[in-house]
Amino acid sequence: MTELGNKTYLIPGAASGMGRAIALMLAAEGANLAIADVDSDNLAATENELAEKGAQVVASVCDITQEDQVAALFDVAKQRFGKVDVLLNVPGLSIVGPIAEMSADAYDKVIDVNVKGTFLCSKHFLQQVDGATGGVVVNFASMAAKRANPNAPVYCTAKAAVAMFSQGFALQAKEKNVRVTTLCPGPTNTNFWGDRPVPREKFLAVDDVVAAIRFVLSLPEYVVVHEISFESFEFFKK
């Protein structure tokens, strides 16, 4: 058991990619894990992998854009572990293409997953948190929140909204001793990109982002990290 153990972490988006990697890191630290995703098959595989490593884990199929499902997700976590100490808002979605050709439904989906999902999970975390012991929320924005991309302007808009929401949420959450960090990684080599022709060799590795998360979570409770922005130097130089 390390300093990250003996706590309960709720991780939406844990079926694969970044969320799965973070869950595996926390499992090695002896943490309790409540994981969720819309991808039921990969979620079950991640749950089994974590359990095989000795983690205490509960998994819930959850669409974070639906408030009743988010409320149920927190209920399951509380029933299993008593409370949630740390929320890691990992999920992200991008639909690329020219604005003139993008449907309103595609726009809504990107905004809902990135912004509404972060809002709903943050809301229900704050409702259940014990103000005496506080907690931590890490919201995943992106360097896309700071730097426009002609291929994904709606994603950039969504992540910029996440970053500003996170700042405002932090001002309210501090009243319950909750520290909020906004994480803004640059492009990272995960399944997020699908088959798009992107220069993965210049991207961050998943372990780089996991290390940043571990840094934030390992700090003493009197330290708050407002934001971390980082990217691969090779990508920055291009």
Side-chain angles (χ1 to χ4, degrees), residues 93-95 97 99 102 106-108 110-116 118 140-165:
L93 172 71
S94 177
I95 298 176
I99 291 294
M102 182 171 289
Y107 172 89
D108 288 343
V110 173
I111 297 298
D112 280 356
V113 170
N114 290 285
V115 187
K116 185 179 179 182
T118 297
F140 274 67
S142 168
M143 286 298 291
K146 303 173 178 295
R147 186 169 57 212
N149 182 328
N151 296 316
V154 177
Y155 177 73
C156 294
T157 299
K159 287 305 187 182
V162 168
M164 185 52 66
F165 167 79

Side-chain angles (χ1 to χ4, degrees), residues 216-234:
V216 171
L217 298 178
S218 298
L219 290 170
E221 292 182 0
Y222 65 83
V223 178
V224 58
V225 178
H226 297 292
E227 181 180 295
I228 299 180
S229 301
F230 61 109
E231 62 187 340
S232 163
F233 193 43
E234 289 303 311

Side-chain angles (χ1 to χ4, degrees), residues 108-128:
D108 288 343
K109 187 172 184 179
V110 173
I111 297 298
D112 280 356
V113 170
N114 290 285
V115 187
K116 185 179 179 182
T118 297
F119 157 71
L120 288 175
C121 290
S122 299
K123 170 186 174 179
H124 284 271
F125 175 82
L126 200 59
Q127 285 181 349
Q128 62 88 55

Side-chain angles (χ1 to χ4, degrees), residues 197-219:
V198 294
R200 290 174 179 261
E201 72 280 359
K202 295 185 177 181
F203 287 1
L204 292 168
V206 170
D207 286 348
D208 299 325
V209 183
V210 172
I213 290 288
R214 195 184 191 292
F215 165 73
V216 171
L217 298 178
S218 298
L219 290 170

Side-chain angles (χ1 to χ4, degrees), residues 52-189:
E52 288 172 359
K53 293 182 180 298
Q56 297 298 311
V57 57
V58 61
S60 301
V61 177
C62 177
D63 178 350
I64 60 168
T65 70
Q66 303 300 313
E67 185 161 17
D68 58 338
Q69 295 187 35
V70 172
L73 168 62
F74 277 88
D75 285 343
V76 168
K78 287 187 291 183
Q79 289 169 10
R80 176 69 180 272
F81 299 117
K83 64 173 181 173
V84 176
D85 300 296
V86 180
L87 168 65
L88 299 164
N89 275 318
V90 177
L93 172 71
S94 177
I95 298 176
V96 300
I99 291 294
E101 299 174 9
M102 182 171 289
S103 69
D105 285 345
Y107 172 89
D108 288 343
K109 187 172 184 179
V110 173
I111 297 298
D112 280 356
V113 170
N114 290 285
V115 187
K116 185 179 179 182
T118 297
F119 157 71
L120 288 175
C121 290
S122 299
K123 170 186 174 179
H124 284 271
F125 175 82
L126 200 59
Q127 285 181 349
Q128 62 88 55
V129 78
D130 179 351
T133 57
V136 176
V137 175
V138 179
N139 289 325
F140 274 67
S142 168
M143 286 298 291
K146 303 173 178 295
R147 186 169 57 212
N149 182 328
N151 296 316
V154 177
Y155 177 73
C156 294
T157 299
K159 287 305 187 182
V162 168
M164 185 52 66
F165 167 79
S166 194
Q167 291 181 38
F169 178 64
L171 297 176
Q172 295 187 3
K174 68 180 182 179
E175 302 303 324
K176 295 188 77 172
N177 290 317
V178 171
R179 295 169 290 150
V180 179
T181 296
T182 308
L183 201 72
C184 296
T188 306
N189 189 10

